[in-house]
Amino acid sequence: MTRNRNLLGTAGVATAPARLPALSRPREGDWASLLRWIDAASERLQVREGDRRNKMEQVVTRRELEETYGIRQVVTTGTKAGTVAVQMAGPGGATVSLSVEQFADMIRSTRLYRDLMRAIDDPERFDRYGERVRALLLPDLGELAAKQGAAVRQIDMAVQEAGQSFAARKTEITAAIEQHVAGIRETLWAEANKTIAHAGKALQLTARLDDVDGSGASIEE
């Protein structure tokens, strides 16, 4: 079975970049054009700071990349053949010379690389979500289709208790003939407690002719 990479997203994630206002030079002595420029500049700053529109439009600093993913600045000038010069993270970080293999190992050790390479069938791919969300998303869709055949099932869940609020709707459509299976699952959820407020939507699809690799595909978004 061919497995595409996990592309799970959360609610509110835009599919296209934001169209931000242009910063045209205000005309001298024209207060109306100056006010328009201030409004446009304010909007751009608020979007890039993450205070307005979609969080996907927020900028990140080099420090945030280094602290979150371990990404380091790569310096390619003046290196010897077959080596890569890397400036290590942190203020005044030393520059070290690594072989191509060592540099590749350094990339593979970053959190960003591990996240990108996490396959659809990796049970840890939903670890950043709560236990209730993982319980909705983890069941294998192909196995479910093989078990129940042609079926349409919807599950609604709502939990309101002290310090915890959670609601979800999961819809599953499956079909199967012998080892030929297909299924689609759409899951929507919202949760809030004293420290977080989070909403998400996941779409999972699978289709295969049998249990042999290369006979089908699975996609998560």
Side-chain angles (χ1 to χ4, degrees), residues 141-194:
L141 194 54
E143 292 180 0
L144 180 66
K147 179 180 180 180
Q148 65 185 21
V152 178
R153 186 172 69 161
Q154 179 170 298
I155 299 174
D156 292 327
M157 178 187 305
V159 178
Q160 186 70 44
E161 54 192 21
Q164 180 70 35
S165 181
F166 179 83
R169 168 169 289 179
K170 179 169 71 170
T171 304
E172 294 172 332
I173 302 174
T174 59
I177 292 292
E178 297 177 348
Q179 290 183 311
H180 302 181
V181 299
I184 180 171
R185 173 191 293 137
E186 182 181 54
T187 308
L188 301 91
W189 71 90
E191 60 180 330
N193 56 38
K194 294 181 179 180

Side-chain angles (χ1 to χ4, degrees), residues 189-215:
W189 71 90
E191 60 180 330
N193 56 38
K194 294 181 179 180
T195 59
I196 66 165
H198 177 244
K201 177 181 179 180
L203 183 64
Q204 299 166 287
L205 303 92
T206 189
R208 65 172 183 257
L209 297 179
D210 51 43
D211 292 326
V212 180
D213 280 350
S215 66

Side-chain angles (χ1 to χ4, degrees), residues 73-145:
Q73 180 180 359
V74 178
V75 182
T76 57
T77 58
T79 59
K80 298 179 180 179
T83 64
V84 178
V86 178
Q87 181 179 337
M88 305 307 289
T95 299
V96 297
S97 181
L98 303 177
S99 68
V100 174
E101 291 77 12
Q102 290 173 323
F103 180 65
D105 288 340
M106 186 186 76
I107 294 297
R108 295 189 188 100
S109 69
T110 64
R111 176 183 163 189
L112 176 60
Y113 180 88
R114 293 194 299 270
D115 286 349
L116 290 174
M117 296 304 293
R118 189 165 286 168
I120 283 179
D121 58 354
D122 185 344
E124 296 181 357
R125 68 193 186 279
F126 300 133
D127 279 359
R128 63 185 181 275
Y129 300 109
E131 181 179 351
R132 289 191 176 100
V133 175
R134 293 198 301 271
L136 294 171
L137 299 175
L138 277 174
D140 185 275
L141 194 54
E143 292 180 0
L144 180 66

